[in-house]
Amino acid sequence: MKIISKSQINSFKNFLDSHETFLIAGHKEPDGDCISSSIGISYILKHMNKPFKLLNAGPFKRTEIKKYAPLFKQETGFMTIEDQKACGLIIVDCSEISRLGEIDGPLKDFDAFIIDHHKTAVESENSIIDATSPAASCLVQQLFEQLVGTPDKEEAKTLFFGTATDTGFFRFLNESDKDVFTSVARLVEAGTSPREIYQDMTSGKGWNTRKLLGIMLTRAERYLNGKLVITYETQEDTRKYGQEGRDSDALYTMMLCVEGVEAVVFVRQETEHSCTIGFRSKDKVDVSVVASKFGGGGHKNASGASTDGKIDTLIPSIVKEFSRIMS
């Protein structure tokens, strides 16, 4: 993780100073990092006495973030042209308006500032993008500490939660991530309980999620000499077991523990003609390269995509793309 430069801090501060009100938006189907970095920005604005509205298209499927859903709206609300000019849009944990999903309002018309950590994000004058940062919350924490100071207990808990979720409770970090551990240590000093955060992340899973996980494991197939594992969820599965509280993270973890497996793919048939795809890997396999072939992107070891197609035809295409990068 890179330390945010003074010029970047000033750029963000100037953006805040040049607007009277703000919209804070994160990507659709939010995860813990998206929610935490959004709320983290709202903390900064509160300290600066700047009015804001939190936006997210949802759905809030993950068990650990459901309690935050009431804080977010799906519409910008009525604004005059003058209101729009005075309002700044802060996008966190993604860099594309299209990734924000179905939010009612002309988001593309607002002056925007982007805070993101995905490899596929494109830097602009109004952006802080660091692909080496394991979470957008790490970047927001730096901004908070530079512009506000030491967070209180609740603020620290929110920021810790975001970093913990995107790092698999720090399992995905290595010896080069010393600055990340130093940052979260400051949050613990501010009153965060790592044990409580871990319990929030891992408990409360629905019975149906365990049943669905069993089906995913049964369907899993190995490709490319066992280096790649792919499984899928049908629309019938969704109708039977629901879409709330899915636990694909547990699936990825279990499959990546298998000897010889270097990458795992989960394909979900969302509609009759479209799918979402989740990619996870370990070590040197860059799944963002494959995700980009299907209109997606993300991190080297964790990416996603939404694409037209059906499971039966997509899986061979996915295998073909992995064969290009896995020797």
Side-chain angles (χ1 to χ4, degrees):
M1 179 180 74
K2 301 174 184 176
I3 303 302
I4 295 177
S5 68
K6 188 65 175 178
S7 63
Q8 289 176 310
I9 296 290
N10 290 336
S11 176
F12 183 64
K13 179 65 164 54
N14 290 337
F15 183 83
L16 299 186
D17 290 340
S18 62
H19 297 85
E20 297 176 5
T21 62
F22 295 88
L23 300 172
I24 307 168
H27 60 77
K28 62 183 179 180
E29 295 195 18
D31 55 10
D33 185 35
C34 176
I35 295 304
S36 291
S37 54
S38 296
I39 297 175
I41 290 295
S42 79
Y43 290 153
I44 296 174
L45 296 177
K46 279 183 182 179
H47 281 280
M48 300 180 71
N49 296 314
K50 295 277 191 176
F52 64 86
K53 178 181 285 188
L54 287 162
L55 299 176
N56 199 283
F60 288 70
K61 299 175 183 177
R62 296 171 180 262
T63 305
E64 66 271 21
I65 65 169
K66 286 182 179 179
K67 63 182 178 181
Y68 297 108
L71 299 177
F72 292 80
K73 305 297 183 183
Q74 294 185 338
E75 69 285 329
T76 63
F78 174 76
M79 289 187 182
T80 64
I81 294 177
E82 289 73 21
D83 291 335
Q84 289 184 26
K85 290 180 179 179
C87 183
L89 171 63
I90 302 175
I91 301 174
V92 297
D93 203 29
C94 72
S95 59
E96 307 90 2
I97 292 287
S98 60
R99 287 280 290 122
L100 301 181
E102 298 298 322
I103 293 178
D104 186 13
L107 293 183
K108 67 180 185 302
D109 296 335
F110 290 94
D111 188 20
F113 196 101
I114 295 169
I115 301 170
D116 194 16
H117 70 124
H118 292 97
K119 183 178 178 181
T120 50
V122 179
E123 290 191 51
S124 65
E125 183 178 354
N126 280 355
S127 70
I128 296 175
I129 295 173
D130 178 12
T132 68
S133 177
S137 294
C138 291
L139 302 177
V140 174
Q141 179 185 345
Q142 291 187 62
L143 289 171
F144 185 100
E145 291 172 337
Q146 289 293 322
L147 297 175
V148 179
T150 301
D152 64 25
K153 183 176 181 180
E154 187 61 30
E155 293 164 342
K157 180 179 179 180
T158 299
L159 294 168
F160 188 103
F161 174 72
T163 298
T165 54
D166 242 28
T167 60
F169 211 79
F170 313 109
R171 289 178 293 121
F172 306 143
L173 301 181
N174 55 45
E175 66 277 5
S176 65
D177 294 305
K178 295 186 291 293
D179 288 333
V180 180
F181 287 107
T182 301
S183 295
V184 296
R186 293 196 297 270
L187 300 178
V188 174
E189 290 176 355
T192 298
S193 168
R195 181 173 63 180
E196 290 181 7
I197 297 293
Y198 184 77
Q199 289 173 342
D200 287 344
M201 290 170 56
T202 58
S203 62
K205 305 297 184 184
W207 174 252
N208 278 357
T209 68
R210 306 301 94 179
K211 300 287 285 185
L212 184 58
L213 180 59
I215 292 173
M216 300 300 100
L217 293 172
T218 300
R219 289 185 183 148
E221 296 289 346
R222 293 190 291 181
Y223 302 86
L224 304 180
N225 297 318
K227 296 179 181 179
L228 172 66
V229 172
I230 301 179
T231 190
Y232 60 90
E233 176 184 325
T234 67
Q235 287 184 283
E236 179 59 31
D237 296 329
T238 304
R239 286 189 286 267
K240 184 174 182 179
Y241 296 104
Q243 62 178 7
E244 299 300 317
R246 290 162 167 164
D247 197 10
S248 53
D249 289 340
L251 172 70
Y252 297 132
T253 299
M254 295 177 71
M255 290 292 94
L256 286 173
C257 288
V258 175
E259 183 180 7
V261 173
E262 297 178 6
V264 178
V265 177
F266 176 36
V267 185
R268 179 184 294 123
Q269 192 78 50
E270 298 286 358
T271 70
E272 185 177 354
H273 301 292
S274 67
C275 290
T276 54
I277 314 172
F279 303 86
R280 296 293 186 275
S281 68
K282 57 185 180 182
D283 302 328
K284 299 179 181 180
V285 178
D286 188 348
V287 292
S288 70
V289 174
V290 178
S292 67
K293 300 294 184 180
F294 297 90
H299 307 291
K300 175 182 177 182
N301 299 122
S303 293
S306 297
T307 186
D308 294 335
K310 295 188 176 183
I311 291 170
D312 291 345
T313 54
L314 280 174
I315 289 179
S317 297
I318 292 169
V319 174
K320 181 179 179 180
E321 293 301 329
F322 269 100
S323 70
R324 302 179 191 274
I325 64 171
M326 299 175 74
S327 55

